[in-house]
Amino acid sequence: MQINPPQGFKFESVDQSSGAINLVEIPKDIKERIKTFVDVLLVLNIDGKEFLEQTKNLPADELAYKQLKLIVQAFNEGWTPDWTNSSQGKYYPWFKMGSPSGGGFSSYDYVRWLADSAVGSRLCFKSADLAKHSGQLFESIYKDFLTV
C-alpha cells in the first residue's frame, strides 16, 4: 500500500508498532508566507492587538520604523548583518523620490552595500531579492518612514 502525503506536507516519521504516521508542513518560501504586515506579526509570533496598543500614539514615521524593523527581521529569518565582514553584501530597497511633475514616490530597485563601518543598520536584507520584494510589497510603510 502506498500513501502520499497531502500537498504541502512531508512524512516526518512512522511508528512501526502502531502504524501512526506523523506529517510536518513543508516550509514555504518566506516571500510566499508574507503578503501583509499581519503576516509579519504572525511569522514573528507577535500579538497584533498588543502591537497596535503599544504603537497607537506614535507619529507615522516612528510607527513605520517599528514596522520596518519587524518586516526586515521576518524576511531575514534570523540572519543579521555582520558589520565586521566588509565582503558580506547587505541590501536595502531603493526608492525613486519625486518626479518631473514635482511629486511621487515609487519602489525603484535595491542597493548593495559592503560594510566599511562599525555602525549597522537594522533595515538591511540578506539578499537583493528580499530587499526589492519588501520595498515593493511595503512601499507605503517605507514612504511613511522616509517622507513624513
Side-chain angles (χ1 to χ4, degrees):
M1 180 165 133
Q2 181 176 346
I3 300 173
N4 295 316
Q7 186 174 5
F9 289 85
K10 65 181 181 178
F11 293 112
E12 181 181 48
S13 63
V14 176
D15 184 322
Q16 297 295 330
S17 61
S18 70
I21 299 171
N22 294 314
L23 302 174
V24 292
E25 188 172 6
I26 298 170
K28 295 177 188 172
D29 179 84
I30 194 67
K31 293 189 320 183
E32 293 177 35
R33 294 174 24 216
I34 298 176
K35 301 295 183 190
T36 67
F37 185 70
V38 171
D39 295 335
V40 169
L41 296 176
L42 290 171
V43 165
L44 297 175
N45 295 315
I46 295 172
D47 182 271
K49 290 180 185 178
E50 189 175 308
F51 180 81
L52 287 173
E53 182 62 32
Q54 292 172 350
T55 59
K56 69 181 176 184
N57 295 318
L58 293 177
D61 63 318
E62 291 181 30
L63 171 61
Y65 180 54
K66 287 189 176 293
Q67 290 175 308
L68 290 175
K69 287 193 297 184
L70 294 175
I71 289 166
V72 171
Q73 182 183 354
F75 275 112
N76 281 335
E77 301 179 283
W79 177 87
T80 57
D82 177 359
W83 293 101
T84 64
N85 181 353
S86 63
S87 64
Q88 179 193 61
K90 291 125 179 108
Y91 304 84
Y92 65 91
W94 187 258
F95 297 92
K96 189 172 185 177
M97 305 291 280
S99 69
S101 63
F105 182 93
S106 63
S107 174
Y108 185 67
D109 210 343
Y110 68 90
V111 172
R112 178 179 188 220
W113 281 81
L114 297 174
D116 287 335
S117 170
V119 178
S121 169
R122 290 174 178 85
L123 301 180
C124 291
F125 290 89
K126 64 183 176 181
S127 73
D129 181 52
L130 289 176
K132 188 171 183 177
H133 178 78
S134 172
Q136 292 170 337
L137 186 61
F138 294 107
E139 183 179 320
S140 64
I141 296 174
Y142 278 99
K143 183 177 182 179
D144 284 348
F145 175 63
L146 295 169
T147 63
V148 174

